[in-house]
Amino acid sequence: MRFRVVALSFALGLVILFAGCGGSSDDAAQAPEQCFRTSVYYCPQSVWGDPFGIALVFAWYSGQCTREVGCSADLPQTDASQGIIREEFIAANWTITNAQESEPNNSFDDALPLVLNQETVFSITGTLNDSNDTRDTVAAGFLSSNLHAIYICRGVNDCLLPFYQGNAFHIEFYDQNQNLIESSFMNQTNNGHEITFTPQPGLYYFVAIVADDTQGEDMAYELVITD
């Protein structure tokens, strides 16, 4: 999934980085200018080669992007090629609660990126085929360090206990360095294909649902990640 960056061009002027800016306190005749939050993030140039992919999402998530606050009369100049992310975009696309899988998403490099808010349930639906579409991958950051769970629903829109207990799919859970932490393959819980974990703050993880035996047919699934 790709999204277009809306780049804004600001006029030259004084960059003010905190509210309450404006006229000098030594010049009582000059009224202070009205200040406001621009609600944008300036991210490292290196991540813009992957627009709205994993690198950009987690540059923002890990704090590498900085917030600018400007005055209405003197907004900072920016490099349009670097791009700007508005919080509305983040809320709409990175902190989503449900999604339909979209190819390509078969590897770590093209995983669907998201940031899971506290006390949120995220679900993704799609199909897998053990002959030609064997895995779908998500890259996830978490805004809380509570106990989390990943599970495959026993059917699309049927996510009550017990979870999926068959042999068509399994879950794989990786750290941000792509090291396998846990797999539900041959290791189902009493609830079925389920993995529980406690994320470390500031890190992100990969979650993959993998096709094992769909008998060469497209088979629908619903994968859930919950805080």
Side-chain angles (χ1 to χ4, degrees):
M1 181 178 296
R2 294 293 187 221
F3 300 91
R4 183 178 301 278
V5 179
V6 179
L8 305 181
S9 177
F10 293 124
L12 284 170
L14 178 66
V15 177
I16 305 299
L17 299 180
F18 52 89
C21 58
S24 169
S25 60
D26 296 329
D27 185 3
Q30 182 178 359
E33 298 168 354
Q34 182 180 2
C35 296
F36 68 100
R37 289 193 178 278
T38 60
S39 296
V40 298
Y41 291 85
Y42 295 80
C43 298
Q45 181 69 40
S46 59
V47 303
W48 291 100
D50 179 27
F52 303 114
I54 297 168
L56 187 55
V57 172
F58 293 108
W60 168 79
Y61 170 66
S62 63
Q64 298 177 52
C65 305
T66 58
R67 183 191 295 271
E68 291 282 354
V69 178
C71 285
S72 57
D74 296 296
L75 296 177
Q77 184 184 33
T78 64
D79 179 0
S81 66
Q82 185 179 28
I84 298 171
I85 308 171
R86 290 189 174 277
E87 286 183 354
E88 291 85 350
F89 183 92
I90 294 169
N93 297 290
W94 292 347
T95 54
I96 53 180
T97 57
N98 59 80
Q100 171 71 39
E101 66 100 359
S102 177
E103 299 292 343
N105 57 11
N106 302 315
S107 68
F108 297 115
D109 291 337
D110 53 25
L112 168 71
L114 69 103
V115 176
L116 198 71
N117 280 328
Q118 189 169 9
E119 299 180 353
T120 297
V121 176
F122 167 80
S123 67
I124 180 170
T125 55
T127 61
L128 287 175
N129 188 314
D130 60 6
S131 64
N132 56 25
D133 183 16
T134 60
R135 71 171 52 217
D136 290 339
T137 311
V138 171
F142 301 92
L143 297 183
S144 84
S145 55
N146 298 331
L147 181 67
H148 288 65
I150 310 166
Y151 55 87
I152 304 172
C153 299
R154 58 189 180 187
V156 176
N157 298 321
D158 184 6
C159 293
L160 299 177
L161 286 170
F163 303 132
Y164 178 69
Q165 296 177 309
N167 299 316
F169 310 116
H170 75 271
I171 306 166
E172 293 178 351
F173 182 56
Y174 297 82
D175 66 19
Q176 65 182 21
N177 296 316
Q178 304 175 14
N179 298 310
L180 181 65
I181 299 174
E182 190 172 349
S183 171
S184 70
F185 183 70
M186 300 294 292
N187 190 31
Q188 296 184 44
T189 70
N190 292 334
N191 292 331
H193 286 277
E194 176 191 40
I195 291 174
T196 58
F197 65 99
T198 302
Q200 295 186 44
L203 301 183
Y204 64 93
Y205 301 83
F206 292 99
V207 179
I209 179 169
V210 183
D212 296 313
D213 183 12
T214 68
Q215 300 183 9
E217 301 292 334
D218 289 347
M219 188 167 179
Y221 70 82
E222 182 170 0
L223 178 75
V224 172
I225 306 173
T226 183
D227 180 352

